[in-house]
Amino acid sequence: MRLDSILLFFLLTVRAWALDGEEGGEKEAKAPEEATAGPPSDELLEEDDILVLTQHNLDRALREHRYLLVEFYAPWCGHCKALAPEYAKAASLLKNESSELKLAKVDGPAEKELVEEFGVTGYPSLKFFRDGNRSQPVEFTGPREAEGIVRWLKRRLGPSATHLETEAEAAQFIDSQDIVIIGFFKDLQDEDVAEFLAIAEDVVDLTFGLTDRPELFQKYGLSKDTVVLFKKFDEGRADFPVDEELGLDQPDLTRFLVIHSMHLVTEFNSQTSAKIFGARILNHLLLFINQTLNSHRELLKDFQEAAPPFRGEVLFVVVDVAGENDHVLQYFGMNATDAPTLRFINVETTKKYVPNTEEEITAASITTFCQDILSGKVKPHLRSQEIPADWDQKPVKVLVGKNFEQVAFDETKNVFVKFYAPWCTHCKEMAQTWEDLAEKYKDHEDIIIAELDSTANELEAFAIRGFPTLKYFPAGPDRKVIEYKSARDLETFSKFLDNGGVLPEPEQPEVPLPEAGTNDSKAHKDEL
Ligand SMILES: *[C@@H]1O[C@H](CO)[C@@H](O)[C@H](O)[C@H]1NC(C)=O
Ligand SMILES: *[C@@H]1O[C@H](CO)[C@@H](O)[C@H](O)[C@H]1NC(C)=O
Ligand SMILES: *[C@@H]1O[C@H](CO)[C@@H](O)[C@H](O)[C@H]1NC(C)=O
Ligand SMILES: *[C@@H]1O[C@H](CO)[C@@H](O)[C@H](O)[C@H]1NC(C)=O
């Protein structure tokens, strides 16, 4: 999880365009050839400022418009319909810009030759043509809304980075936005510059500049090729030195820009949540406060003060318990009255950490809390229900976090546990069988059939990722755990138990359990 996954993320984003609408990719209709009489015309028609292209007029459109964005659509494609109003809006926004730039569309199913020529595999598919060149158009990778389309196109038209020559120009450029990025390169013909400009073309939400002027290197205290992110908040500036031997690494720089364009402390709400999870920083430190209370707001200073050394490693997030954040509290099993307090979570493992409540929240205690977690000194906090008074009164024993260790790893017992979620259908389907199994073995002194609600009880020994999960803990001192992956019927279960935790032959491959909706990590990711 670092550079490669950032790259993967971008690849997936790019691919999503091609994949959408593929469900109907085979249903292409034949063009009604005989509909037109006489020689095909290359006349250019427009609908809502969008050129309607065919194989007969594409060449002319390319001749007349230096920059052409072409959408391949199909009349039946739902994603195309969703895009249509945004596309039309983008066309009208661009109308005043320049006649060199034009949006166009091609009815894919009716224009099979074009679909084939440009390798369109799904709808909608958008391709950008430059300088009237019909070969190798660029795949559109920008956002699918009007302003995003316009921004993406302007990046490709203009220079994607502004050339800066003088100190005054540079100062003005830096002042023009909350965040600007300037590439300082000694030699603008260098390959690194091309890499830099390629990023500038794609990262349309940020503004890029470029310079090779020695006086600007000096003014900003640089002696080597460096990409500098200037911001009007937090540290004010972050430097990305270009590796002299390996050159500029695109995924590295992309990740650097994501991390350093975020504020050190982000307030959590519905607008920022996408950014918080999009940052791909796995550790989150959450400060829960009631923003209407002065005494709580004062803690923001400490939180902000503790954040800088953890940039890129731990994302600092503020959650207002007086805001619309009940789902976050719920996810952490908390109450608004618990504020002010901290929680730390690794969003990949979903391990959560709770600070010592005795300790006051200060910049120093926040720093120590993070350091101790990152160095493995603090154990994750595990949720558990209370042990029910009658947990061992029925054939199926009820386990919770608090009695799990003691029961499952009892050296004198063979323990077979069903880990379930109350809402999971496969769990409900096998509930009766599990009861029957417990009934059948209730007089076996050394066999325990048990269940544990994994949505309310977390375990130190392992995380449960699918429901139901069945595990067998044979008697003995070595804490062995055997995952049961065979058929979920009484006969196979019995054979397994009678055989001491093995089946003569694996009977049937496990039905794969979906990751989504397994435990609450997803819920946290989607909502928080
Ligand atoms: C385009 O220019 C015209 C005339 O200058 C103006 O009235 C119109 O609002 C502009 N449209 C857009 C979308 O900027
Ligand atoms: C068109 O673009 C391709 C690929 O970028 C390039 O190889 C070719 O030389 C270009 N043709 C013209 C006429 O510019
Ligand atoms: C936040 O504090 C205000 C002022 O004391 C209080 O009225 C409110 O109930 C608190 N909100 C929550 C969710 O505790
Ligand atoms: C939340 O706090 C209130 C007041 O302290 C308490 O009555 C309630 O039981 C708490 N709820 C939970 C879920 O802990």
Side-chain angles (χ1 to χ4, degrees), residues 333-338:
M334 290 168 56
N335 205 320
T337 55
D338 291 327

Side-chain angles (χ1 to χ4, degrees), residues 326-344:
D326 284 352
H327 58 292
V328 183
L329 288 171
Q330 213 168 31
Y331 177 77
F332 284 92
M334 290 168 56
N335 205 320
T337 55
D338 291 327
T341 188
L342 298 164
R343 289 293 182 274
F344 187 106

Side-chain angles (χ1 to χ4, degrees), residues 364-438:
S365 75
I366 293 167
T367 304
T368 312
F369 182 49
C370 284
Q371 280 169 345
D372 287 354
I373 292 164
L374 294 174
S375 66
K377 249 197 238 168
V378 184
K379 283 199 168 173
H381 174 75
L382 303 169
R383 281 169 85 173
S384 173
Q385 293 170 307
E386 291 307 317
I387 304 172
D390 61 348
W391 73 274
D392 59 352
Q393 297 304 300
K394 299 207 189 100
V396 177
K397 310 303 176 213
V398 179
L399 300 188
V400 296
K402 289 184 177 173
N403 64 358
F404 176 79
E405 272 288 311
Q406 200 190 347
V407 177
F409 292 110
D410 183 337
E411 294 186 12
T412 67
K413 304 273 202 271
N414 299 296
V415 186
F416 201 12
V417 184
K418 176 184 79 175
F419 299 88
Y420 71 99
W423 43 259
C424 135
T425 23
H426 289 299
C427 305
K428 286 178 195 152
E429 276 163 21
M430 66 164 290
Q432 189 55 51
T433 312
W434 204 244
E435 302 265 335
D436 296 346
L437 183 70

Side-chain angles (χ1 to χ4, degrees), residues 46-215:
E46 288 193 17
E47 278 173 19
D48 293 340
D49 304 318
I50 297 168
L51 289 177
V52 181
L53 298 186
T54 66
Q55 59 162 324
H56 305 301
N57 66 8
L58 174 62
D59 272 335
R60 178 165 165 191
L62 287 170
R63 271 197 314 275
E64 292 186 8
H65 303 281
R66 186 165 170 208
Y67 306 104
L68 197 62
L69 180 66
V70 180
E71 179 202 359
F72 291 82
Y73 71 98
W76 40 258
C77 141
H79 289 293
C80 306
K81 289 191 185 111
L83 177 61
E86 296 295 328
Y87 202 59
K89 189 172 165 203
S92 86
L93 289 173
L94 288 168
K95 206 160 118 180
N96 286 0
E97 292 286 335
S98 108
S99 61
E100 289 195 316
L101 174 61
K102 197 74 188 165
L103 300 198
K105 62 183 181 181
V106 169
D107 178 344
E111 297 291 334
K112 288 212 143 207
E113 290 87 349
L114 294 182
V115 162
E116 192 165 318
E117 176 179 349
F118 297 108
V120 173
T121 54
Y123 301 112
S125 180
L126 287 90
K127 297 187 188 282
F128 180 64
F129 296 82
R130 205 196 278 258
D131 297 326
N133 190 336
R134 184 162 174 151
S135 63
Q136 298 176 29
V138 175
E139 201 72 36
F140 175 84
T141 53
R144 273 195 206 182
E145 36 78 28
E147 279 83 10
I149 294 170
V150 171
R151 276 203 307 275
W152 191 91
L153 288 170
K154 283 189 177 169
R155 273 297 155 86
R156 273 158 183 77
L157 252 62
S160 56
T162 308
H163 277 258
L164 303 167
E165 302 282 337
T166 65
E167 286 190 17
E169 273 172 25
Q172 193 185 17
F173 184 74
I174 291 166
D175 193 47
S176 68
Q177 307 271 334
D178 276 356
I179 302 173
V180 301
I181 293 116
I182 300 181
F184 294 83
F185 295 97
K186 297 228 158 100
D187 173 9
L188 293 186
Q189 304 311 313
D190 199 281
E191 211 176 291
D192 291 335
V193 177
E195 303 275 329
F196 174 75
L197 292 176
I199 289 183
E201 283 201 344
D202 262 341
V203 184
V204 295
D205 294 330
L206 296 172
T207 303
F208 291 80
L210 181 67
T211 191
D212 63 347
R213 312 301 296 188
E215 58 270 35

Side-chain angles (χ1 to χ4, degrees), residues 197-338:
L197 292 176
I199 289 183
E201 283 201 344
D202 262 341
V203 184
V204 295
D205 294 330
L206 296 172
T207 303
F208 291 80
L210 181 67
T211 191
D212 63 347
R213 312 301 296 188
E215 58 270 35
L216 291 182
F217 272 77
Q218 196 186 358
K219 161 108 202 243
Y220 293 98
L222 300 168
S223 56
K224 293 181 177 147
D225 286 2
T226 308
V227 177
V228 181
L229 183 149
F230 294 92
K231 52 186 156 184
K232 288 188 185 159
F233 52 86
D234 295 342
E235 306 94 331
R237 163 177 176 170
D239 289 20
F240 180 91
V242 177
D243 192 303
E244 278 176 86
E245 298 204 344
L246 301 174
L248 187 148
D249 183 271
Q250 276 204 19
D252 255 352
L253 178 56
T254 304
R255 182 168 166 79
F256 171 89
L257 296 178
V258 169
I259 288 173
H260 289 274
S261 60
M262 291 204 63
H263 285 252
L264 271 173
V265 172
T266 309
E267 165 130 15
F268 174 75
N269 57 44
S270 52
Q271 280 92 56
T272 56
S273 70
K275 203 161 188 189
I276 288 169
F277 288 101
R280 311 260 139 176
I281 296 170
L282 295 184
N283 298 308
H284 294 180
L285 179 68
L286 286 76
L287 172 67
F288 291 85
I289 54 169
N290 181 337
Q291 289 269 31
T292 62
L293 297 174
N294 272 333
S295 60
H296 284 200
R297 278 203 310 274
E298 273 171 18
L299 296 172
L300 289 172
K301 213 163 49 305
D302 296 270
F303 201 53
Q304 178 86 23
E305 191 183 325
F310 298 103
R311 193 187 267 284
E313 194 172 15
V314 183
L315 199 61
F316 280 49
V317 179
V318 174
V319 182
D320 181 11
V321 299
E324 310 263 294
N325 294 320
D326 284 352
H327 58 292
V328 183
L329 288 171
Q330 213 168 31
Y331 177 77
F332 284 92
M334 290 168 56
N335 205 320
T337 55
D338 291 327

